[in-house]
Amino acid sequence: MSGLFVNTIATFILSVSLIVGLRRLAVAFQLVDRPDTVRKRHSGAIPLCGGIAVFSAFAIATFFGGRPDLLGLNFWLGLLIITFIGVVDDRLPLPAIGRLVLQLSIAVALVGGTDIGSLSVGALLSEDTALFLPFFFFIGVLFVAGLVNSWNMLDGVDGLAGGVAAVSLIWLIVIAGSAEMTEFIASIETLLICLCAFLVFNMRSPWRMRASVFLGDAGSTALGATIAYVILLLATRSSAVSFPALLWVVIVPIVDTLSLIARRLLAHRSPMSADRWHLHHLLLDHGLGHAATTNTVILASAICGGIGYAGIRADVPGEIMAIGLIVPIAIHTMFVLAASGYRVKVQPDGNGAGLRSSRTDVLGGATSSMVFKGAAKPVLKDE
């Protein structure tokens, strides 16, 4: 016990020291996030060194005090590359398509390091795993790349991305312990400790009015990749831990990302474009403060993670856990529709060419008109 306590304190101090030291370097090298008039409404230039510090401390603590071989060489190489890409993107924004291609390549490498053919998804797909191997591999790559972008999109309010990640890691530790996969617990705990040190500087509290350090794209994308990789490891090492049940641990950022993509496509916009349509933006725009918004999303994520853990403990079939995901998806959809003032009035087009649907869009009460069957494209106008 004393050894565990000493390692915890040492890892925490290491992470804090790296954050304090890198904060000065980030300012010197202009690796900072500056506010704008649309999405970034913080005050002053904030250093984007949180992710670099967290994963540097995680790597140092793991290599010198743990078992780096448990996660595999492919993981560490993938983590290094995705962190480097994030740093470059923080300093000199990269094209969205280029980032996506690189993320997919890293996802292929990470999935290749797992026994993806043993992915536990339920009884229906457990008969002939060799037959479903290409499908499982595709799902794994899509999941890793998707979670990388989901965590990047989640990083929009002080303490949010780090807080949700911390809750997810806690549930993964509990699940790994209950499924007797204790060999992974030390690595997950190490990352959690490093993340808690970062949250001291990033999460609002009575002692901190606003964040003094941000994760940056390097941190948010690396968090998404790491959590996705750990989930795949757990879902391929034990048939008692189904992939659909583990999806509950990260369903909040996943659903918000899918909702964003769908709404942007409906608005005839690129799914990778920036806006204030995220769940946390809707909560902020409808009266919640920054701390309340962060705590609300963290609580929702914690509840969903608890449902996933309960499903694993109760040995609920993967198919049932997958069907159950309809519930958080429906709740999120209903909230988005209510918060955005969505209303639909279907009426014949003036010349009978089709149906016209008028709705209030999500961007700060902006309105748009959508016409089906050969009508004009929607026009978005900020009020």
Side-chain angles (χ1 to χ4, degrees):
M1 181 63 70
S2 59
L4 176 62
F5 178 76
V6 171
N7 288 338
T8 298
I9 297 300
T11 301
F12 188 87
I13 292 175
L14 172 64
S15 188
V16 168
S17 301
L18 286 173
I19 291 171
V20 173
L22 289 173
R23 189 165 53 180
R24 295 178 180 274
L25 288 175
V27 174
F29 286 95
Q30 293 297 302
L31 190 64
V32 295
D33 194 22
R34 301 184 186 279
D36 57 32
T37 58
V38 181
R39 295 170 55 247
K40 302 177 181 181
R41 300 180 179 180
H42 55 271
S43 301
I46 308 297
L48 294 168
C49 62
I52 305 172
V54 166
F55 284 96
S56 295
F58 174 52
I60 293 171
T62 301
F63 275 83
F64 285 95
R67 290 280 308 279
D69 57 299
L70 288 175
L71 295 177
L73 179 62
N74 64 306
F75 167 75
W76 293 108
L77 289 176
L79 184 64
L80 177 63
I81 295 171
I82 201 166
T83 304
F84 176 76
I85 294 170
V87 171
V88 174
D89 193 36
D90 283 330
R91 185 63 181 85
L92 302 168
L94 299 172
I97 296 298
R99 288 201 313 269
L100 182 60
V101 171
L102 291 172
Q103 289 165 0
L104 287 171
S105 301
I106 294 169
V108 169
L110 291 180
V111 174
T114 67
D115 185 15
I116 196 64
S118 300
L119 188 69
S120 175
V121 294
L124 293 179
L125 298 180
S126 62
E127 295 297 327
D128 190 352
T129 55
L131 181 63
F132 294 106
L133 180 58
F135 175 69
F136 287 167
F137 193 88
F138 172 76
I139 291 297
V141 171
L142 190 64
F143 175 65
V144 173
L147 212 59
V148 164
N149 285 282
S150 293
W151 238 275
N152 192 23
M153 292 182 179
L154 186 67
D155 190 20
V157 182
D158 292 350
L160 183 56
V164 173
V167 167
S168 300
L169 291 173
I170 290 171
W171 279 122
L172 292 176
I173 290 171
V174 173
I175 291 170
S178 67
E180 299 183 355
M181 290 184 282
T182 54
E183 66 270 21
F184 297 116
I185 291 180
S187 296
I188 305 173
E189 285 180 342
T190 299
L191 178 57
L192 178 61
I193 294 166
C194 297
L195 195 55
C196 288
F198 162 74
L199 288 173
V200 171
F201 297 86
N202 183 252
M203 182 170 277
R204 297 193 180 193
S205 68
W207 303 275
R208 181 173 295 281
M209 297 304 297
R210 59 180 57 85
S212 62
V213 172
F214 287 165
L215 272 175
D217 286 349
S220 59
T221 55
L223 272 178
T226 302
I227 293 173
Y229 183 72
V230 170
I231 286 176
L232 290 179
L233 284 179
L234 297 181
T236 55
R237 296 296 178 93
S238 172
S239 58
V241 180
S242 70
F243 180 62
L246 290 171
L247 283 180
W248 280 87
V249 176
V250 291
I251 192 60
V252 172
I254 288 176
V255 170
D256 195 42
T257 299
L258 293 176
S259 174
L260 279 168
I261 292 173
R263 283 177 280 151
R264 288 167 179 171
L265 291 175
L266 286 172
H268 295 270
R269 296 176 49 225
S270 167
M272 296 182 180
S273 58
D275 51 41
R276 285 183 59 83
W277 295 9
H278 303 70
L279 174 61
H280 52 269
H281 287 142
L282 293 179
L283 291 171
L284 287 171
D285 292 343
H286 286 79
L288 266 67
H290 284 75
T293 294
T294 296
N295 293 335
T296 297
V297 179
I298 289 176
L299 178 60
S301 186
I303 291 172
C304 290
I307 294 172
Y309 170 68
I312 292 171
R313 292 288 293 177
D315 200 23
V316 177
E319 294 85 355
I320 301 299
M321 297 301 295
I323 294 172
L325 291 170
I326 295 174
V327 175
I329 293 172
I331 293 173
H332 182 279
T333 302
M334 288 188 291
F335 171 76
V336 167
L337 295 181
S340 61
Y342 190 100
R343 60 180 183 272
V344 178
K345 296 179 181 179
V346 178
Q347 57 189 15
D349 195 352
N351 54 14
L355 298 179
R356 180 180 298 273
S357 171
S358 299
R359 66 183 175 87
T360 299
D361 218 315
V362 187
L363 184 55
T367 60
S368 67
S369 177
M370 183 180 299
V371 181
F372 301 93
K373 292 187 178 180
K377 291 183 179 180
V379 178
L380 294 177
K381 179 181 179 182
D382 293 338
E383 293 182 344

